[in-house]
């Protein structure tokens, strides 16, 4: 099968940062589905793993987690899917990635592709939708009112992939007022279009801007990026007994400032359930099916931001470079295995 991989870490503009390669076709066993990949999207985790992973000598590392495709074969213990089913999912951190024509994935973390979306639109959703859902409802529990506050949520990095879907989920599934941060006119317009009630600029201090809003101190903050930079402001602006959730990787985080207000700290890693095969691992498949229903009923929309053409090393290097620049809006998607170097 065709795939895109690397054998050593390089800056993204290096010609060997990602290469077109051929690998043996994988074979499903147990509860695995063998999926014929139709579209993928690129996430910050791809960049982090590419920068840090060290494949064994002579071995290839294949990145990619988001995917939409068709079930081509199933393992002996598969219960819920059959050959020909159209699916979407975000994969597992410890397994080979989706930047390949064929991919193995545990059926318990797989959802049925939304019928109203094409392959690229569907591939934009799984990882970010799962991250946003788990943070909002499994970690922060934003439906639970913080005493003395109006129900409100601040999303830092509202125009990114996770922020884009988190805004929509908070709007359609709760009565929480959504405050999103965005710094450029086009990203501010994007988050308003997705449903943010208020937009503030994360290039400026957050606490004074929130203080000017009619919402009062929010009970929840979802920091998708630059948590360390904004941490002092987050502590200041959160209501007493409020909740902070984060998904990025601060070099260090001193939690002591949270004590005075009895603020709680929540981490979210979408891969935890699959990495540890938790007792509720199948919750991810259920979440994705809920996302499909919300899409097909017209309540939320795909967060596809830019289509980068066919799935090959040249286009993936371009997508990685844009993610690294910090200027991506929504999700970056690639679709189909065209000719090598078939750039947009």
């Amino acid at each position: 099968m065709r795939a895109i991989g690397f054998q050593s870490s390089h800056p993204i503009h290096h010609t060997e940062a990602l290469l077109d390669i051929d690998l043996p076709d994988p074979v499903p066993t147990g509860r695995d589905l063998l999926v014929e990949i139709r579209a993928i999207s690129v996430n910050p985790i791809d960049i982090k793993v590419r920068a840090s992973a060290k494949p064994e000598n002579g071995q290839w590392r294949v990145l990619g987690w988001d995917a939409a495709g068709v079930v081509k074969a199933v393992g002996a213990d598969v219960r819920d899917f059959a050959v020909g089913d159209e699916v979407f999912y975000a994969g597992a951190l410890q397994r080979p990635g989706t930047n390949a024509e064929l991919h193995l994935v545990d059926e318990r973390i797989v959802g049925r592709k939304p019928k109203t979306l094409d392959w690229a639109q569907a591939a934009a959703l799984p990882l970010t939708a799962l991250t946003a859902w788990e943070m909002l409802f499994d970690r922060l529990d934003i439906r639970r009112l913080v005493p003395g506050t109006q129900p409100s949520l601040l999303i830092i990095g509202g125009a990114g992939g996770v922020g884009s879907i988190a805004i929509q989920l908070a709007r359609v599934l709760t009565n929480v007022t959504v405050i999103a941060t965005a710094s450029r006119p086009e990203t501010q317009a994007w988050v308003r279009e997705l449903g943010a009630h208020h937009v503030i600029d994360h290039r400026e201090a957050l606490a004074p801007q929130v203080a000017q809003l009619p919402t009062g101190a929010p009970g929840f903050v979802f920091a998708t990026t630059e948590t360390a930079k904004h941490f002092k402001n987050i502590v200041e602006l959160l209501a007493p007994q409020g909740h902070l959730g984060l998904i990025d990787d601060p070099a260090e985080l001193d939690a002591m400032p949270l004590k005075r207000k009895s603020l709680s700290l929540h981490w979210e890693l979408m891969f935890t359930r699959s990495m540890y095969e938790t007792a509720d691992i199948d919750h991810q498949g259920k979440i994705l099916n809920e996302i499909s229903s919300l899409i097909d009923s017209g309540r939320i929309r795909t967060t596809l931001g830019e289509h980068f053409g066919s799935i090959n090393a040249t286009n993936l290097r371009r997508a990685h470079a844009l993610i690294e620049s910090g200027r991506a809006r929504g999700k970056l998607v690639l679709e189909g295995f065209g000719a090598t170097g078939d750039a947009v």
Side-chain angles (χ1 to χ4, degrees), residues 94-108:
Q94 69 273 25
R95 304 189 71 172
T98 58
N99 296 346
E101 289 183 293
L102 299 170
H103 184 251
L104 292 177
V105 61
D106 188 312
E107 67 165 341
R108 292 172 293 179

Side-chain angles (χ1 to χ4, degrees), residues 125-288:
L125 286 166
L127 190 150
T128 52
L130 285 166
T131 299
W133 186 293
E134 290 182 352
M135 177 60 85
L136 295 178
F137 305 120
D138 296 347
R139 314 291 177 234
L140 290 176
D141 191 10
I142 65 170
R143 295 187 179 105
R144 181 186 59 190
L145 186 66
V146 173
T149 68
Q150 300 179 43
S152 58
L153 162 73
L154 170 63
I155 299 174
I156 300 173
V162 174
S164 294
I165 193 67
I167 291 169
Q168 295 183 75
L169 292 175
R171 282 301 311 268
V172 303
L173 297 177
T174 76
N175 65 347
V176 169
T177 296
V178 178
I179 309 161
T181 79
S183 60
R184 291 175 283 134
E186 60 269 30
T187 54
Q188 291 173 351
W190 170 261
V191 298
R192 286 191 177 95
E193 185 180 338
L194 294 173
H197 295 92
H198 305 283
V199 182
I200 62 176
D201 189 343
H202 49 239
R203 293 175 301 185
E204 307 294 335
L206 299 180
Q209 294 179 79
V210 170
Q212 296 299 312
L213 300 176
T215 56
F220 304 95
V221 170
F222 182 0
T224 72
T225 185
E226 296 189 314
T227 302
K229 171 184 174 182
H230 299 297
F231 189 64
K232 182 177 179 180
N233 270 266
I234 291 169
V235 174
E236 180 180 345
L237 67 86
L238 263 171
Q241 302 186 86
H243 307 274
L244 164 62
L246 63 151
I247 60 173
D248 62 334
D249 301 302
E252 58 182 41
L253 189 70
D254 178 9
M256 280 304 296
L258 304 177
K259 182 176 181 180
R260 183 177 180 85
K261 286 185 173 180
S262 295
L263 303 176
S264 60
L265 181 66
H266 306 260
W267 287 96
E268 160 61 18
L269 178 64
M270 187 227 69
F271 296 110
T272 296
R273 283 182 163 118
S274 58
M275 188 183 303
Y276 293 96
E277 293 197 28
T278 61
D280 63 348
I281 185 174
D282 63 345
H283 186 54
Q284 290 201 331
K286 295 173 182 176
I287 292 171
L288 288 174

